Amino acid sequence: MQLHISTYGTYLHVKDAMFDVRRKGEDGKVISATYSAEKVTHILLATGTSLSTDAVRLAMRHNVDIVFIEQQGDPIGRVWHAKLGSTTKIRKRQLEASLGPDGLRWVRAWLLAKLDNQMGFIRSLKKHRPQHAGYLDDKLVRIEAMALSISTLASVGEQTPATTCVADVADTLRGLEGTAGRLYFETLSYVLPKEYQFSGRSSRPAQDAFNAFLNYGYGMLYGKVEKTLMMAGLDPYVGFLHRDDYNQLSMVYDFIEPYRGWTDEVVFRLFTAKKVNKAHIGEVSGSRTGVSLNADGKALLVNAFNECMDNDPIRYRGRNLVRSHCMQLDAHQFANELIGKTGGLPDLVKL
């Protein structure tokens, strides 16, 4: 279970060894709800909410992740227990891999898995949209060309020596990935109801309802990926492809790539099922105008996202696993491969 607390003035504390969430209702009366610490896996607290140190202690005792987020969903900090929980050898090897050819092999795997999932989603859209088959086929061919270029560029061969590292080809990889992403989101927009079609990706703030939902969903996924990496003993700040800017969670942005499609599909299904309406978003004022999710919009997305990640098993590596466990399994295999405990790169999760 994930507690997502975003209503202004809500207070999280401990009552009878359980998490107790309190807020004032519109009539001024206090509304309270309690949750067993054994059933809670994550606590997300938006700005304008608060918690007690007893709640922090209870969370740490039960390995419950506490994440502080902006009202738009972007993580701004987290509370994690003081123990590393794994060998430091993993982080040493991660740093070494970031500077050598091993890092390029992993970047290739993540990007190709991402594009493969994007193409798989577009193919699924064709099944019920025969009138768009020509348009969708054209996008598939063009995205597949980007995937082929990434595979060729990042594979050891005549054009890519065995000593090539990510830094040698990073700009080209980003360009290919960016082009594929543009084609992909053009496709999603094209098949959406006309009132929700959009002109490319936008953030901080979003310029349309679809991007507002997508940005908030990615924010939740970032938080999950960061915890997943830390539980596997990996450093979320030591990435391979994304730049090592100040306080940049580079590995989070690298590792998340194959799993973004889960959020894309959750948001897309909400719109095509006509569950989203104008009452779910509000205007953002300031130096940059746009739109963001209000409380009702957040509740709609959070419930759908959590259902997808934690309650809807998929077939993966011969087992039925929820998506959060699939991601954790991939992270542990990544860590084990870094320190030589596995035979090579795994088959990454597919939609």
Side-chain angles (χ1 to χ4, degrees), residues 251-275:
M251 181 50 70
V252 172
Y253 302 139
D254 284 352
F255 189 80
I256 199 175
E257 298 295 8
Y259 315 105
R260 286 184 184 272
W262 291 336
T263 301
D264 300 342
E265 187 167 354
V266 167
V267 172
F268 185 86
R269 301 300 182 199
L270 288 176
F271 277 82
T272 55
K274 299 183 178 179
K275 294 183 178 181

Side-chain angles (χ1 to χ4, degrees), residues 160-173:
T160 308
T163 56
T164 301
C165 62
V166 176
D168 297 326
V169 293
D171 288 342
T172 305
L173 287 173

Side-chain angles (χ1 to χ4, degrees), residues 223-273:
K224 275 185 170 290
V225 169
E226 184 181 4
K227 181 187 178 182
T228 295
L229 294 172
M230 291 192 298
M231 288 183 66
L234 295 154
D235 191 329
Y237 290 91
V238 180
F240 296 169
L241 177 62
H242 286 82
R243 294 183 178 90
D244 297 321
D245 293 337
Y246 181 71
N247 278 341
Q248 174 100 330
L249 291 164
S250 301
M251 181 50 70
V252 172
Y253 302 139
D254 284 352
F255 189 80
I256 199 175
E257 298 295 8
Y259 315 105
R260 286 184 184 272
W262 291 336
T263 301
D264 300 342
E265 187 167 354
V266 167
V267 172
F268 185 86
R269 301 300 182 199
L270 288 176
F271 277 82
T272 55

Side-chain angles (χ1 to χ4, degrees), residues 56-264:
V56 174
R57 181 174 62 178
L58 182 63
M60 296 302 98
R61 286 180 174 176
H62 289 82
N63 200 27
V64 177
D65 192 29
I66 300 177
V67 182
F68 302 100
I69 61 174
E70 299 280 11
Q71 285 293 334
Q72 288 73 34
D74 293 327
I76 54 178
R78 74 186 327 123
V79 178
W80 188 251
H81 55 70
K83 298 178 181 178
L84 180 61
S86 65
T87 172
T88 55
K89 184 179 179 181
I90 294 173
R91 296 192 177 202
K92 290 178 180 178
R93 280 291 299 124
Q94 181 183 347
L95 182 58
E96 290 172 354
S98 72
L99 302 173
D102 284 346
L104 182 57
R105 291 192 302 118
W106 277 100
V107 167
R108 174 181 180 272
W110 291 327
L111 292 183
L112 290 179
K114 176 184 180 178
L115 268 61
D116 190 49
N117 287 336
Q118 289 176 340
M119 289 187 287
F121 188 32
I122 293 174
R123 291 188 189 100
S124 73
L125 297 178
K126 284 179 57 180
K127 295 178 182 179
H128 304 291
R129 296 169 178 83
Q131 71 276 24
H132 299 318
Y135 180 91
L136 298 177
D137 284 337
D138 175 67
K139 295 295 186 183
L140 283 170
V141 169
R142 295 167 70 182
I143 294 174
E144 191 168 13
M146 296 301 105
L148 180 60
S149 295
I150 290 173
S151 180
T152 302
L153 181 69
S155 299
V156 174
E158 186 174 325
Q159 295 182 340
T160 308
T163 56
T164 301
C165 62
V166 176
D168 297 326
V169 293
D171 288 342
T172 305
L173 287 173
R174 294 188 192 105
L176 293 168
E177 178 200 7
T179 299
R182 178 180 56 79
L183 294 168
Y184 170 69
F185 285 111
E186 284 177 359
T187 306
L188 298 192
S189 176
Y190 184 81
V191 298
L192 279 174
K194 286 191 178 298
E195 63 269 28
Y196 291 120
Q197 291 180 354
F198 57 96
S199 300
R201 289 284 290 123
S202 60
S203 61
R204 300 182 181 179
Q207 297 302 303
D208 54 81
F210 190 88
N211 274 293
F213 270 82
L214 200 60
N215 294 342
Y216 201 89
Y218 284 162
M220 289 189 289
L221 189 60
Y222 290 145
K224 275 185 170 290
V225 169
E226 184 181 4
K227 181 187 178 182
T228 295
L229 294 172
M230 291 192 298
M231 288 183 66
L234 295 154
D235 191 329
Y237 290 91
V238 180
F240 296 169
L241 177 62
H242 286 82
R243 294 183 178 90
D244 297 321
D245 293 337
Y246 181 71
N247 278 341
Q248 174 100 330
L249 291 164
S250 301
M251 181 50 70
V252 172
Y253 302 139
D254 284 352
F255 189 80
I256 199 175
E257 298 295 8
Y259 315 105
R260 286 184 184 272
W262 291 336
T263 301
D264 300 342

